[in-house]
Amino acid sequence: MDKSSKKREPQTRKRQVLVLGLDGSGKTSILNSIVTNRGNHSTVPTEGIHAVCITNGKSKMEFLEVGGSEQLRPFWERYLDRAFALVYIVDSTDHGRLPLAKKHLHQLIQHDSSLPLVVLANKQDLENAYHITDIHDALALSEICEERKLFLIGTHVATDGSELPSSIEDTQEFLAQLLLETH
Ligand SMILES: Nc1nc2c(ncn2[C@@H]2O[C@H](COP(=O)(O)OP(=O)(O)OP(=O)(O)O)[C@@H](O)[C@H]2O)c(=O)[nH]1
Ligand SMILES: [Mg+2]
């Protein structure tokens, strides 16, 4: 490969947002909603990888979801290198599996001490959803290293195809801003 083309495509140019979380947490539903700009539930578990590309004004980014089933979780860490941010989604009503969600999150972030992390406490529309302060405690987010940018946002996906909730819009805008800062 000639040296000049290498210069034009530096390895640090990461445009991917890695979207992870246990099965059923709402990864595909959130991505579908971002793409269609409306509440858009998914009912089909992701059996592998699901990628969507979003252009918002001048910023273009790819969201890459890896399914959250037990068989797919060992593959999650393989995708960390390409990402400029990790979005980790938890089902705020899945109280019994929060320790498992915490374990996987803490394992993942050990691989990269500075990768920005956005935790989405999803399904906030449901009555038994834990408040984000409980999610903060359950995931032990205060133990996560200070040099990392860390955000926790409560989200939900509307079932009736209504407008995108502002919490998901905020997440998207925040990621676009992060992308600008990283490049
Ligand atoms: N009430 C409610 N249900 C949701 C929300 N987000 C997702 N769901 C439902 O939760 C279930 C799982 O959603 P998915 O988006 O497929 O979850 P996933 O994280 O992509 O799951 P995998 O692909 O299996 O890893 C579906 O039945 C969705 O309709 C939400 O914010 N509120
Ligand atoms: Mg999915």
Side-chain angles (χ1 to χ4, degrees):
M1 189 194 288
D2 94 287
K3 280 183 185 159
S4 56
S5 65
K6 243 186 183 173
K7 264 187 188 164
R8 267 181 262 121
E9 283 297 336
Q11 291 218 321
T12 49
R13 214 166 169 74
K14 299 174 181 179
R15 299 202 154 268
Q16 209 167 67
V17 178
L18 181 60
V19 182
L20 300 175
L22 297 184
D23 48 301
S25 53
K27 300 179 293 298
T28 307
S29 300
I30 288 185
L31 292 187
N32 286 351
S33 303
I34 290 177
V35 170
T36 58
N37 225 14
R38 306 240 141 239
N40 197 332
H41 275 235
S42 164
T43 48
V44 186
T46 307
E47 302 287 357
I49 285 163
H50 167 221
V52 295
C53 210
I54 290 169
T55 309
N56 188 358
K58 281 185 190 162
S59 86
K60 182 179 171 195
M61 58 184 141
E62 186 190 14
F63 289 81
L64 187 92
E65 172 198 357
V66 187
S69 65
E70 209 174 338
Q71 307 90 281
L72 290 170
R73 288 177 218 149
F75 297 97
W76 284 357
E77 64 187 56
R78 294 193 184 184
Y79 297 89
L80 285 167
D81 280 355
R82 310 171 192 184
F84 73 88
L86 170 63
V87 172
Y88 193 77
I89 304 184
V90 293
D91 176 344
S92 310
T93 68
D94 193 1
H95 307 164
R97 289 204 304 166
L98 281 170
L100 183 64
K102 171 193 163 189
K103 184 188 99 178
H104 283 292
L105 174 62
H106 283 252
Q107 274 171 359
L108 277 167
I109 60 171
Q110 270 177 9
H111 292 272
D112 187 330
S113 60
S114 60
L115 185 67
L117 171 66
V118 181
V119 177
L120 301 185
N122 195 35
K123 306 198 186 181
Q124 288 293 315
D125 56 308
L126 297 176
E127 216 172 297
N128 58 338
Y130 271 167
H131 189 265
I132 55 168
T133 51
D134 302 318
I135 300 288
H136 186 271
D137 291 346
L139 298 179
L141 295 183
S142 54
E143 287 172 19
I144 289 176
C145 192
E146 278 172 20
E147 67 187 80
R148 181 192 310 276
K149 285 186 179 162
L150 166 64
F151 294 85
L152 170 62
I153 303 172
T155 54
H156 74 275
V157 179
T159 39
D160 56 0
S162 58
E163 276 184 17
L164 200 62
S166 57
S167 55
I168 296 184
E169 271 178 357
D170 290 348
T171 306
Q172 208 182 336
E173 266 173 37
F174 167 71
L175 288 166
Q177 189 57 41
L178 205 56
L179 180 65
L180 278 177
E181 284 169 20
T182 334
H183 289 82

